[in-house]
């Protein structure tokens, strides 16, 4: 387990409830990807299952702690999707429900960890719901989620909701510097592109991934200069990878911020010249129109299975090229 400094406060606050005997049997933690919440869950599970906890820490020496460290504690359950499936089915949930009503094999607590509860099918969520309504003695459920609205309302209502707040930028920058990121401009940009999640920012800053993003920025600059937006097609058409389109959306929103003299809120801090070129060349209405069109495009390929991404992108890039050439008036034009 790796521990991160921004998890100290939420860990202490959550654990205080359990120390006082007021801890909820089902904890739902809402966190953005890359905030390190798996470490928080694991630390909570270690403390709950430890036979001799020392203050806010698990002892690390009792039999339960040794089993957890070895990764084979019989009272710790982490159901996972079947091989080749993206969802967590009812069979996986049923396999853990019956043992939960038996006596704990180590005589202590039983802990169920679902890192991404959105993966539960509706049938699986309903099967889990019955157990959450009448939980076995000394049984705790730790549920993680990226988007609570994707969970059944009845499931959410049985849990204590906890939002893991975004890391403040100063803390994120310090941590990235400690990981060897020398450029503050790059670190700040990566944090803002990652919703302030330090681990997500560090992943984005890896040379291969960062080079992909820089290639998209360079391609956009070339497309603007040559008025040939199809140059962006190979840079955006990445199978099962939505990030390049997200980077493009961030540049469009940055251009609108630049037009409103809101430069300090720009996400792409290392691309201010490109952002100013976008904001200076196109009217606000054109940028707004393109932003809405690209959001619609992203929504289509996320919602429609088997959609032809290349055809969808080609159509949108040609529409953008036409918009750029004619600067047509749009409802958002000021």
């Amino acid at each position: 387990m790796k521990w991160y400094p921004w998890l100290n406060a939420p860990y202490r606050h959550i654990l205080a409830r359990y120390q006082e005997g007021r801890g909820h049997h089902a904890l739902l933690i809402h966190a953005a990807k890359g905030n390190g919440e798996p470490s928080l869950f694991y630390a909570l599970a270690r403390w709950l299952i430890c036979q001799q906890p020392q203050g806010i820490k698990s002892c690390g020496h009792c039999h339960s702690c040794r089993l957890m460290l070895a990764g084979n504690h019989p009272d710790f359950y982490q159901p996972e999707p079947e091989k080749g499936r993206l969802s967590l089915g009812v069979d996986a949930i049923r396999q853990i429900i019956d043992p939960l009503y038996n006596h704990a094999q180590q005589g202590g607590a039983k802990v169920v960890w679902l890192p991404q509860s959105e993966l539960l099918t509706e049938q699986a969520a309903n099967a889990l719901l019955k157990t959450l309504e009448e939980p076995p003695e000394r049984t705790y459920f730790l549920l993680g989620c990226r988007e609570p609205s994707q969970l059944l309302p009845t499931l959410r209502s049985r849990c204590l909701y906890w939002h893991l707040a975004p890391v403040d930028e100063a803390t994120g920058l310090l941590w990235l510097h400690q990981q060897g990121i020398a450029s503050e401009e790059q670190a700040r940009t990566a944090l803002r592109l990652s919703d302030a999640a330090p681990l997500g920012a560090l992943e984005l800053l890896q040379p291969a991934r960062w080079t992909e993003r820089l290639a998209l920025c360079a391609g956009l600059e070339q497309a603007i200069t040559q008025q040939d937006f199809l140059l962006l097609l190979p840079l955006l058409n990445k199978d099962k990878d939505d990030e390049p389109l997200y980077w493009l959306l961030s540049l469009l929103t940055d251009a609108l911020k630049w037009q409103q003299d809101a430069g300090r809120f720009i996400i792409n801090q290392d691309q201010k010249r490109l952002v100013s070129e976008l904001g200076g060349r196109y009217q606000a209405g054109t940028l707004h129109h393109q932003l809405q069109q690209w959001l619609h495009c992203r929504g289509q390929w996320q919602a429609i299975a088997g959609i032809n991404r290349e055809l969808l992108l080609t159509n949108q890039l040609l529409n953008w090229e036409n918009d750029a050439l004619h600067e047509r008036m749009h409802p958002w034009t000021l």
Side-chain angles (χ1 to χ4, degrees):
M1 181 189 72
K2 291 186 177 180
W3 191 250
Y4 308 104
W6 56 87
L7 297 178
N8 288 331
Y11 175 72
R12 290 174 181 271
H13 290 160
I14 293 171
L15 203 59
R17 293 175 174 267
Y18 291 104
Q19 289 178 306
E20 296 166 3
R22 298 185 298 110
H24 202 279
H25 69 276
L27 178 66
L28 175 64
I29 295 184
H30 171 202
K33 181 182 178 182
N35 265 343
E37 80 283 357
S39 292
L40 176 61
F41 276 122
Y42 182 69
L44 290 170
R46 283 277 304 274
W47 189 90
L48 289 168
I49 218 162
C50 177
Q51 296 170 342
Q52 300 171 350
Q54 299 174 353
I56 63 170
K57 295 183 179 180
S58 53
C59 71
H61 304 295
C62 68
H63 190 52
S64 283
C65 281
R66 291 198 300 271
L67 287 171
M68 285 291 287
L69 288 168
N72 58 5
H73 198 297
D75 298 317
F76 179 71
Y77 303 88
Q78 187 182 345
E80 296 180 350
E82 295 179 12
K83 187 176 181 180
R85 294 181 178 271
L86 297 177
S87 59
L88 189 58
V90 65
D91 290 340
I93 296 301
R94 285 174 177 165
Q95 285 177 5
I96 69 168
I97 287 177
D98 288 341
L100 292 179
Y101 286 92
N102 297 329
H103 186 71
Q105 294 188 42
Q106 295 301 311
K110 291 159 286 184
V111 177
V112 179
W113 179 28
L114 294 174
Q116 288 183 265
S117 49
E118 297 100 327
L119 298 182
L120 289 166
T121 64
E122 184 173 353
Q123 194 177 9
N126 283 323
L128 180 62
L129 180 62
K130 296 177 183 179
T131 307
L132 290 179
E133 289 173 341
E134 298 179 5
E137 185 180 1
R138 293 201 66 188
T139 301
Y140 301 95
F141 297 85
L142 304 176
L143 284 70
C145 72
R146 301 276 181 251
E147 182 47 67
S149 64
Q150 294 181 10
L151 302 178
L152 289 177
T154 47
L155 186 66
R156 297 201 309 267
S157 68
R158 299 301 187 276
C159 301
L160 175 67
Y161 172 83
W162 186 282
H163 179 228
L164 191 61
V167 180
D168 68 89
E169 197 163 86
T171 299
L173 288 172
L174 176 60
W175 185 80
L176 287 173
H177 178 71
Q178 292 170 347
Q179 307 312 304
I181 305 301
S183 170
E184 182 176 326
E185 185 178 66
Q186 290 183 3
R188 194 181 301 277
T189 297
L191 277 171
R192 294 185 180 187
L193 283 169
S194 305
D195 294 328
L199 297 180
L202 185 61
E203 183 179 349
L204 175 57
L205 285 164
Q206 296 308 301
R209 194 59 166 165
W210 194 250
T211 299
E212 285 185 50
R213 175 182 166 271
L214 294 179
L216 177 69
C217 294
L220 177 57
E221 188 169 12
Q222 186 179 3
I224 294 170
T225 302
Q226 299 181 14
Q227 291 296 293
D228 182 5
F229 286 87
L230 285 178
L231 292 171
L232 293 171
L233 182 59
L235 300 171
L236 293 171
N237 189 25
K238 307 286 187 179
D239 186 38
K240 297 180 181 179
D241 185 0
D242 294 347
E243 286 299 297
L245 180 51
Y246 171 67
W247 300 334
L248 178 61
L249 289 168
S250 72
L251 289 163
L252 289 171
T253 56
D254 279 349
L256 288 166
K257 294 172 188 175
W258 180 87
Q259 290 182 344
Q260 300 300 316
D261 294 325
R264 67 191 182 95
F265 298 108
I266 285 175
I267 295 173
N268 297 276
Q269 291 287 308
D270 64 334
Q271 297 293 327
K272 290 180 180 177
R273 185 172 63 83
L274 175 57
V275 168
S276 64
E277 186 174 356
L278 269 172
R281 183 180 289 260
Y282 302 116
Q283 298 177 18
T286 300
L287 293 172
H288 271 293
H289 179 68
Q290 284 304 315
L291 184 60
Q292 294 298 322
Q293 291 296 305
W294 280 110
L295 286 170
H296 180 65
C297 174
R298 185 178 68 168
Q300 284 183 301
W301 81 25
Q302 288 178 340
I304 305 174
I307 195 169
N308 189 323
R309 283 196 177 199
E310 185 174 0
L311 187 60
L312 192 66
L313 286 167
T314 300
N315 180 66
Q316 179 54 33
L317 288 168
L318 289 174
N319 285 341
W320 190 2
E321 190 171 301
N322 193 42
D323 253 14
L325 284 172
H326 300 291
E327 279 288 342
R328 290 181 295 182
M329 299 292 286
H330 296 288
W332 299 280
T333 303
L334 300 178

